[in-house]
Amino acid sequence: MKGPATTLRFGVNYTPRRGWFHSWQDFDPAAAAEDLAQIAGLGLDHVRVFHLWPLLQPNRSLIRPRGVEQLVKLVDLAAEQGLDVLVDGVQGHLSSFDFYPEWTRAWHHRNIFTEPGAIAAQAELLRTLGQALAGRPNLIGLQLGNELNNLVRDNPATPQQIDSYLDTLLAATREGLAADPRGLLALHSAYDAAWYGDDHPFTPEASARKGDLTVVHPWVMSGNCATLYGPRSPQVLHLAEYGVELAKAYAEDADRLVWVQETGAPEPLIPAADAPNFARRTLRGAADCTGVWGVTWWCSHDVDRALADYPELEYSLGLFDSAGRPKPVAQALAETVSELRAAPDEPEDRGTALVLDCTPSTRSVCCPGGAYFDAWMRLRRDGVRPAVVLAERAEDDKHLATRGITHLLRS
Amino acid sequence: MKGPATTLRFGVNYTPRRGWFHSWQDFDPAAAAEDLAQIAGLGLDHVRVFHLWPLLQPNRSLIRPRGVEQLVKLVDLAAEQGLDVLVDGVQGHLSSFDFYPEWTRAWHHRNIFTEPGAIAAQAELLRTLGQALAGRPNLIGLQLGNELNNLVRDNPATPQQIDSYLDTLLAATREGLAADPRGLLALHSAYDAAWYGDDHPFTPEASARKGDLTVVHPWVMSGNCATLYGPRSPQVLHLAEYGVELAKAYAEDADRLVWVQETGAPEPLIPAADAPNFARRTLRGAADCTGVWGVTWWCSHDVDRALADYPELEYSLGLFDSAGRPKPVAQALAETVSELRAAPDEPEDRGTALVLDCTPSTRSVCCPGGAYFDAWMRLRRDGVRPAVVLAERAEDDKHLATRGITHLLRS
């Protein structure tokens, strides 16, 4: 599973149509199978799936066997539809809601990133999930959880503490998966603050160096990209590509893959009429990069408006509406996937790179509106396809040669 | 159901033996029936039952039908054992854990006592539960939730706001139960801060005047009673009785009943060897008061030590241990209930009352260690059985006559 991809993977983040993730409480295999069949019908090859932490581990020392069984059942239902699966373990954060077990909150508050008991419990959950999932033929791997860095707000930590947390949990994930000889992926993910946020404790280095590949979630709302530049702007249409190149700059292994694991077209930032083109351009842009594992759209099904309190944009992200009807964006995605599989884009030359000179405290230069972001996008608009090279490596001929970079620009 | 009790009711707060309240996620009617049969075997006549708020109402506009059905099923299972049931709606707080739905926390924080949307959602939950439960022949009533005042910590509110919250939710509860012609009880409960805590926004008046009777939870750990005076002290052995008399003082209706809804023998505050006697004395003390609805022991089954993070004392409160074996305190409780039913204590004369002069800001005089508490207990130790009269009513001859009070003492 590791190593350079021969074929790009295309998939979707699975959001159950009926009851969103609350449906775990009333898990209905038939309903899940129906959703998954719709997804497979688009020609996608994988889904990313999510359980809820408080339901899986309601007490620090209780991992619900039935919850784990149902998660495995969902993976098997996906297999029946020919879909591979990445499982996210600790949710954690989903669509603006923070799901914490009660043993981490209020009178029982434990910092989930720094308190040894809380870390050990998460490690145990990941080990248990890994053991239960190992051997499933359609399993891609196990990820610590969805954008755990959203939880920093209530669980402050230093970069060193986050590094240690990620190392501990990735080790537990690998232990859990160890019985499976295929080298399944052990991953972690972060929202864009890791790349854009000055002093944010989840660092670009942690994203680009820990776990078996680099996960990016280049969202058009991060740094107000779509608002600043408009939904049809080059900045929006090349955002996934930029995210990939930025991620590659921080890697230590030039062959390390990047997974565009979340991208989507939130209304009204991307008007519905623009969503199909945004999807096409985003997929083609990512496919045009070297070293991409795949692209996974967020998300499969709209949140039903009968459910309250989601940010407005969360209601419009599905390929299917909440009645199960495919939206135009679904068709555009399916067509683009089919085209790319038939005749993959020949990755363009990335011999030119734009040097990135920033520290953890000034990384917001990379954020939409930042100087580096704007310089990169100016080049892109002018027909250059710049890679990204860190300033500390600009004189490292071996690094440059390994990446095939022949020409450096400075902003 | 309303009006002076002819027979005292004796019951237990039901804590599922397997998986505690997390067992709702894997609701097993057979396991619940087994627990309830054990309870009925002690000769108790009722249970108080609890669901978990995040499981019942995971989204502000989603009340899980299956969760409600399972709660109704539990009530029916109790009926099969001859047990009546009080249902608590919004948990809320249980045994040190605060169960909040995610739509009230973190990015979505709403003050559950003051934010109109949060209040409306709780009202809807109570209305829905009332409608589902109305007509169940063994239903005692519906209570807003267990000791909601524990949630003040993260949801600050004024006494006026709490009064309004309680009024709104009690009205919704009554609406829900309206189809049932029996006059089921609509209640609320608070932990002892309502009676003992200076400036606490849940007031003694709210406890003693809102809802269909007054609920007290006179715990030996409140105000460190057991620690201050010792497990065999008169202060501990007369605590339930004191709680009843204090509650009666604040009532506007002299016939209003008081329910000793939680009392229990937490180790090590009450050593296991002392628990049987504590149970006997507590039941007899409450039975000796006039105007008591009943006594409900906390709790049916010990928390399994396989579950982590409960305060030490929470593991020892059951009548049955976590393997389902009855403890000596269960036998003591069963015998005392049997004796009291055969030959109810003749309530002693309460012609003497000790005048209580305090304000909401000085009510801690009533707390163990407080001047009023100590004065009342000194009288009790000397053989007097004092009622409590508020200073503002000490000259109100009608009030005193209605309550049969002929002699006032001042501390």
Side-chain angles (χ1 to χ4, degrees), chain A residues 25-26 61 64 96 108 306, chain B residues 25-26 61 64 96 107-108 306:
Chain A
Q25 272 205 73
D26 301 292
S61 61
R64 283 178 55 242
S96 82
H108 290 276
Chain B
Q25 273 203 75
D26 301 292
S61 61
R64 284 179 55 243
S96 82
W107 318 81
H108 289 278

Side-chain angles (χ1 to χ4, degrees), chain A residues 7-308:
Chain A
T7 313
L8 271 193
R9 308 293 305 265
F10 296 104
V12 68
N13 291 278
Y14 172 47
T15 48
R17 179 166 79 81
R18 299 174 189 81
W20 194 62
F21 297 107
H22 300 303
S23 60
W24 280 115
Q25 272 205 73
D26 301 292
F27 181 64
D28 178 352
E34 186 185 313
D35 291 347
L36 293 165
Q38 289 193 306
I39 291 166
L42 297 179
L44 300 174
D45 59 61
H46 70 272
V47 289
R48 180 172 166 231
V49 306
F50 311 86
H51 211 302
L52 300 178
W53 190 13
L55 300 185
L56 274 181
Q57 196 170 31
N59 180 272
R60 188 165 57 87
S61 61
L62 172 63
I63 296 169
R64 283 178 55 242
R66 193 144 160 270
V68 176
E69 281 164 26
Q70 290 172 338
L71 182 58
V72 174
K73 175 71 179 172
L74 180 65
V75 173
D76 290 346
L77 291 169
E80 290 173 16
Q81 301 296 335
L83 293 165
D84 289 344
V85 181
L86 178 80
V87 174
D88 269 54
V90 180
Q91 275 72 238
H93 183 90
L94 284 168
S95 300
S96 82
F97 290 95
D98 289 353
F99 293 89
Y100 289 101
E102 286 72 22
W103 55 267
T104 71
R105 301 300 299 258
W107 318 82
H108 290 276
H109 180 65
R110 292 168 185 263
N111 185 310
I112 66 162
F113 296 126
T114 64
E115 195 280 322
I119 296 172
Q122 292 170 78
E124 183 61 21
L125 176 57
L126 289 162
R127 218 167 2 243
T128 301
L129 293 179
Q131 287 164 355
L133 292 163
R136 252 51 204 185
N138 62 327
L139 188 69
I140 294 167
L142 178 56
Q143 185 158 280
L144 305 192
N146 180 48
E147 298 188 352
L148 284 159
N149 59 330
N150 272 297
L151 306 182
V152 161
R153 179 184 123 132
D154 291 320
N155 300 274
T158 66
Q160 293 70 31
Q161 287 171 324
I162 295 298
D163 282 352
S164 166
Y165 167 84
L166 293 173
D167 289 341
T168 302
L169 265 57
L170 283 166
T173 302
R174 292 197 177 97
E175 273 177 57
L177 295 172
D180 195 307
R182 291 171 296 169
L184 298 168
L185 297 176
L187 305 175
H188 70 102
S189 74
Y191 86 100
D192 284 319
W195 307 102
Y196 298 160
D198 292 339
D199 295 321
H200 185 75
F202 282 72
T203 62
E205 288 81 1
S207 282
R209 299 173 192 178
K210 297 180 188 297
D212 294 324
L213 55 68
T214 303
V215 169
V216 296
H217 292 184
W219 276 103
V220 299
M221 56 272 204
S222 298
N224 297 314
C225 185
T227 310
L228 281 174
Y229 303 104
R232 299 175 187 178
S233 63
Q235 288 85 348
V236 162
L237 296 174
H238 293 298
L239 185 66
E241 187 185 328
Y242 170 77
V244 169
E245 293 302 329
L246 184 60
K248 284 163 64 178
Y250 284 97
E252 287 178 321
D253 172 3
D255 289 332
R256 183 177 167 102
L257 297 174
V258 179
W259 182 347
V260 182
Q261 195 183 60
E262 291 188 16
T263 178
E267 285 182 55
L269 299 176
I270 310 284
D274 289 322
N277 187 54
F278 171 81
R280 267 184 223 107
R281 294 289 298 271
T282 295
L283 260 60
R284 288 198 169 276
D288 230 19
C289 300
T290 55
V292 172
W293 182 89
V295 182
T296 311
W297 190 261
W298 187 284
C299 59
S300 66
H301 293 80
D302 281 351
V303 176
D304 193 324
R305 287 204 176 263
L307 296 176

Side-chain angles (χ1 to χ4, degrees), chain B residues 195-196 241-251 356 366 372 388:
Chain B
W195 306 103
Y196 299 160
E241 186 186 328
Y242 171 76
V244 169
E245 293 302 327
L246 184 61
K248 285 163 65 179
Y250 283 97
L356 169 59
C366 302
Y372 186 84
V388 179

